[in-house]
């Protein structure tokens, strides 16, 4: 049996990598559907998508300079388009401060930095040197793409909730890193193979965290029973009962009905005070750091 030659294997891994990359790029769709349904992107972050767009644009430029890298050209042109769509949806539903932060990222990286990189490297007369420079720049920002979800990992660890982590995205990123690593290895392209080693590592870390916290439920605020109320609320309740009993007995002995009416008014006032106290205690719980996502 004749072993397949490296060129054939490279083509196979390249096509598989392209297919899985499509899945990676489409994996955030459930996340953005949730954003659309909630009409809010609060709690989600745009940094992974901003960095992914910048990296896709850089890899597209690298493939263009490399020549005959049609698989890289195709997947990164699609990636640039889909990441742009994600960022547009995010900015529509994001809070104003997050929207401003995302706009600054796009201007800084995708316009200014990318324009400087293209302008400077295109002036390098030696094609091989130009390709190496672009390749090393691409390695740096490819690592940033895989490291960007670390902000999500921090959020998961802090909240002990996977609400803001996409497991399909983590799984597809891991498989994608494996495919492109072997593709780069077989075509002897260090700039394609090297970043995917970290991609595999970070992808595995995300999936492990998902499995650890996937069944963790967020704490629900308790409903106090009378004997479980905070001391200040229970004490106020006891004072109401004692005051009513005392006033009622006095009213029966003296025959003055006005005292009973006064007691009922005091009862209403104390009940209102009790409600205010209970509301204060509940608000203290709701605004504690453990209950804020």
């Amino acid at each position: 049996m004749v072993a397949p030659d490296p060129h054939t294997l490279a083509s196979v891994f390249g096509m598989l990598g392209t297919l899985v990359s499509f899945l990676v790029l489409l994996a955030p769709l459930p996340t953005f559907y949730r954003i659309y349904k909630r009409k809010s992107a609060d709690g989600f972050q745009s940094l992974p998508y901003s960095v992914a767009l910048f990296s896709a644009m850089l890899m597209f430029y690298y493939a263009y300079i490399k020549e005959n890298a049609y698989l890289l050209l195709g997947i990164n042109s699609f990636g640039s388009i889909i990441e742009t769509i994600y960022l547009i949806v995010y900015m529509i539903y994001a809070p104003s401060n997050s929207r401003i932060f995302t706009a600054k990222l796009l201007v800084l990286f995708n316009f200014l930095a990318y324009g400087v990189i293209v302008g400077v490297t295109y002036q390098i007369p030696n094609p091989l040197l130009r390709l190496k420079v672009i390749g090393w720049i691409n390695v740096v920002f490819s690592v940033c793409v895989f490291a960007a979800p670390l902000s999500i990992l921090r959020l998961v660890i802090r909240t002990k909730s996977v609400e803001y982590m996409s497991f399909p995205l983590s799984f597809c990123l891991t498989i994608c890193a494996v495919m492109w690593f072997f593709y780069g290895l077989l075509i002897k392209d260090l700039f394609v193979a090297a970043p995917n080693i970290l991609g595999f590592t970070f992808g595995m870390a995300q999936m492990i965290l998902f499995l650890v916290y996937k069944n963790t439920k967020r704490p629900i605020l308790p409903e106090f029973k009378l004997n479980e109320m905070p001391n200040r609320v229970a004490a106020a309740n006891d004072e109401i009962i004692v005051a009513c009993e005392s006033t009622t007995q006095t009213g029966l002995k003296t025959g003055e009905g006005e005292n009973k009416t006064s007691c009922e008014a005091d009862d209403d006032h104390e009940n209102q005070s009790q409600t205010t106290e209970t509301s204060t205690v509940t608000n203290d719980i709701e605004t504690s750091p453990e209950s804020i996502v």
Side-chain angles (χ1 to χ4, degrees):
M1 183 177 179
V2 179
D5 63 280
H7 180 74
T8 303
L9 284 175
S11 299
V12 171
F13 278 106
M15 287 186 288
L16 289 174
T18 300
L19 177 62
V20 179
S21 294
F22 274 105
L23 297 178
V24 168
L25 293 169
L26 296 177
L29 282 177
T31 298
F32 282 90
Y33 180 73
R34 288 171 60 196
I35 291 175
Y36 170 75
K37 292 292 288 184
R38 291 170 51 184
K39 306 298 183 187
S40 172
D42 192 21
F44 295 91
Q45 299 185 23
S46 63
L47 181 61
Y49 307 101
S50 301
V51 177
L53 173 60
F54 185 55
S55 180
M57 294 168 64
L58 275 179
M59 182 57 83
F60 179 87
Y61 179 50
Y62 173 79
Y64 173 76
I65 297 298
K66 185 179 177 67
E67 296 180 354
N68 299 321
Y70 300 113
L71 292 175
L72 293 176
L73 279 172
I75 191 60
N76 286 286
S77 58
F78 177 76
S80 299
I81 294 171
I82 196 70
E83 295 294 346
T84 301
I85 294 173
Y86 289 153
L87 287 168
I88 290 173
V89 174
Y90 177 85
M91 292 185 70
I92 291 174
Y93 296 109
S96 58
N97 57 339
S98 298
R99 192 180 302 122
I100 293 171
F101 174 75
T102 304
K104 289 180 179 178
L105 279 179
L106 292 176
V107 171
L108 180 62
F109 286 101
N110 300 92
F111 289 96
L112 295 180
Y114 185 75
V116 169
I117 290 171
V118 172
V120 171
T121 57
Y122 209 77
Q123 302 303 317
I124 299 175
N126 189 330
L128 291 178
L129 180 60
R130 184 194 310 153
L131 191 64
K132 281 187 178 182
V133 172
I134 299 170
W136 280 114
I137 295 173
N138 183 71
V139 166
V140 172
F141 285 98
S142 293
V143 170
C144 292
V145 169
F146 293 119
L150 289 177
S151 59
I152 304 298
L153 299 186
R154 178 177 173 274
L155 183 64
V156 170
I157 294 172
R158 183 168 62 86
T159 63
K160 295 181 172 56
S161 170
V162 295
E163 181 181 0
Y164 301 113
M165 176 184 283
S166 172
F167 182 80
L169 178 59
S170 303
F171 178 77
C172 290
L173 275 173
T174 306
I175 300 300
C176 182
V178 173
M179 297 300 172
W180 286 115
F181 169 76
F182 282 108
Y183 173 77
L185 191 66
L186 290 167
I187 66 173
K188 300 179 181 180
D189 191 331
L190 173 67
F191 303 121
V192 175
N196 288 288
I197 298 174
L198 285 178
F200 175 78
T201 304
F202 289 139
M204 289 299 298
Q206 291 180 65
M207 290 192 293
I208 290 171
L209 273 183
F210 187 91
L211 294 176
V212 169
Y213 293 114
K214 69 175 182 177
N215 295 322
T216 303
K217 296 181 179 179
R218 296 176 61 189
I220 300 175
L221 293 178
E223 293 183 2
F224 293 112
K225 296 179 181 178
L226 181 59
N227 59 348
E228 297 175 347
M229 283 184 179
N231 292 335
R232 55 181 175 176
V233 178
N237 187 70
D238 292 340
E239 290 176 3
I240 295 171
I241 296 173
V242 172
C244 287
E245 289 179 351
S246 176
T247 308
T248 302
Q249 289 175 1
T250 303
L252 289 174
K253 289 180 181 180
T254 60
E256 296 175 359
E258 294 178 358
N259 288 336
K260 184 175 180 181
T261 304
S262 175
C263 172
E264 291 174 352
D266 290 341
D267 190 5
D268 293 339
H269 176 73
E270 293 292 343
N271 281 333
Q272 183 178 2
S273 175
Q274 177 186 356
T275 304
T276 304
E277 293 283 352
T278 306
S279 175
T280 303
V281 173
T282 305
N283 287 335
D284 290 342
I285 298 173
E286 289 179 349
T287 54
S288 66
E290 291 152 348
S291 64
I292 298 176
V293 178

